[in-house]
Amino acid sequence: MKPYLSIVIPVYNEEGNLKSLIARLHPVMLATGHPFEIIFTDDGSRDSSLQILKDFTAIYPEVRVVEFNGNFGQHMAIMAAFEVSRGEIVITLDADLQNPPEEIPKLVAEIEKGHDVVGSIRQHRQDTFFRKTASMLVNIATRKMTGMKMTDYGCMLRAYHRNVIDNINQCREASTFIPALAQTFASSPSEVEVAHAERLEGESKYSLYKLVRLNFDLMTGFSVVPLQLFALFGILTALAAVGFAIFLFIRRFIVGAEVEGVFTLFAILFFFIGITIFGIGIVGEYVGRIYQEVRHRPRYVVRKVHGAADEQ
Ligand code: UDP
Ligand code: MG
């Protein structure tokens, strides 16, 4: 039977969490009374996650597993699962039980009210102070730059109507940020508050470097404001430099040539060189992404889809 609900879960080295996850998720799904499927994407795990997931397909007929042949990142893992999903409503979830599966019916009810994208706001977020502060800044910057109204970009417990999923499935971008991408296709977005828990087992799969990369995906993938801001800053600096030159010119006639203050000038110079290199970096970030896109390489490689094989 065609599922009504599709649950999508990216998995990267989550062997300690998967059994607890399915033990909580499966009863919640049964209780909805709707036909459902649970799609895991194994994002190139190096631990026993894939084996555990494959075992699930033998126990739970609703489970399907997309097996990647490498680590392509959380958002690509979700994209791949979207492509094989069939539900009318698709819900994304993290594998580490930071998003309580018990909140799923709340999201479903919100979609059934007629919304096509339902985001979530984490109540009492259980993450480090650094992560929470960084998220707050990213949320503000993203809202300003993209003009999208979303409270909590980082929370992956979200629900999408099939129409939005079909639109997302037509996107071929090699790096993306799913909540923002979905928001661009939403005609009636909504948000609900959900509980948040600490990661059950293991550590966050995002190193500081990966986190910075991810946020670059969000900033550059959905807005060219960084480039525009930089151009604006360039214009302002040039104007200030002209003003400064005029000042020095006049000063020369009044008090004569100056030699003192050379190092102050150096400091100012280094500051602007720093800004210039930063700007080249931003431009490079966009150019790199354009290059990545024009090569048209596969965004991810699916080795095999396990479970419910007869329906492929
Ligand atoms: N994840 C993934 N591929 C990656 C990194 C993470 O599939 O390269 C999955 C991970 O297994 C988890 C979800 O994405 O289900 C969120 O990751 P994590 O909990 O480590 O992120 P955090 O909660 O620290 O933001
Ligand atoms: Mg987590």
Side-chain angles (χ1 to χ4, degrees), residues 9-14 17 41-45 71-75 77-78 93-98 122 125 127 131 154 156 196 199 203-206 210-211 214:
I9 308 173
V11 174
Y12 182 53
N13 298 341
E14 302 281 9
N17 295 318
T41 302
D42 176 65
D43 188 14
S45 297
N71 180 237
F72 294 94
Q74 179 186 4
H75 291 261
I78 295 174
L93 198 70
D94 282 350
D96 57 0
L97 281 169
Q98 287 199 280
R122 290 171 278 198
R125 188 169 163 196
D127 274 317
R131 285 291 296 267
M156 295 306 290
H196 192 246
R199 172 174 260 282
E203 286 179 349
S204 171
K205 306 301 175 246
Y206 281 98
K210 262 179 111 174
L211 212 58
L214 182 71

Side-chain angles (χ1 to χ4, degrees), residues 23-96:
R24 275 174 63 185
L25 176 63
H26 198 255
V28 170
M29 296 314 294
L30 284 178
T32 64
H34 291 297
F36 65 93
E37 63 182 354
I38 303 174
I39 307 170
F40 292 95
T41 302
D42 176 65
D43 188 14
S45 297
R46 291 160 194 276
D47 63 2
S48 61
S49 294
L50 178 64
Q51 192 50 50
I52 297 173
L53 293 176
K54 283 203 255 181
D55 293 345
F56 284 172
T57 62
I59 308 167
Y60 305 97
E62 302 91 354
V63 170
R64 296 162 79 202
V65 180
V66 179
E67 180 188 342
F68 272 5
N69 78 349
N71 180 237
F72 294 94
Q74 179 186 4
H75 291 261
M76 284 303 127
I78 295 174
M79 286 292 237
F82 279 175
E83 283 195 12
V84 301
S85 73
R86 295 160 300 167
E88 199 59 26
I89 300 174
V90 179
I91 293 146
T92 58
L93 198 70
D94 282 350
D96 57 0

Side-chain angles (χ1 to χ4, degrees), residues 253-301:
F253 284 113
I254 300 170
V255 276
E258 69 291 313
V259 274
E260 76 285 5
V262 179
F263 287 100
T264 316
L265 210 57
F266 265 125
I268 296 173
L269 200 64
F270 285 153
F271 172 71
F272 286 114
I273 291 176
I275 299 277
T276 312
I277 295 173
F278 175 65
I280 294 173
I282 294 182
V283 175
E285 197 63 44
Y286 281 95
V287 173
R289 274 152 211 275
I290 295 168
Y291 181 50
Q292 209 178 14
E293 297 297 344
V294 297
R295 278 185 308 203
H296 291 299
R297 294 207 183 138
R299 303 181 293 168
Y300 48 79
V301 182

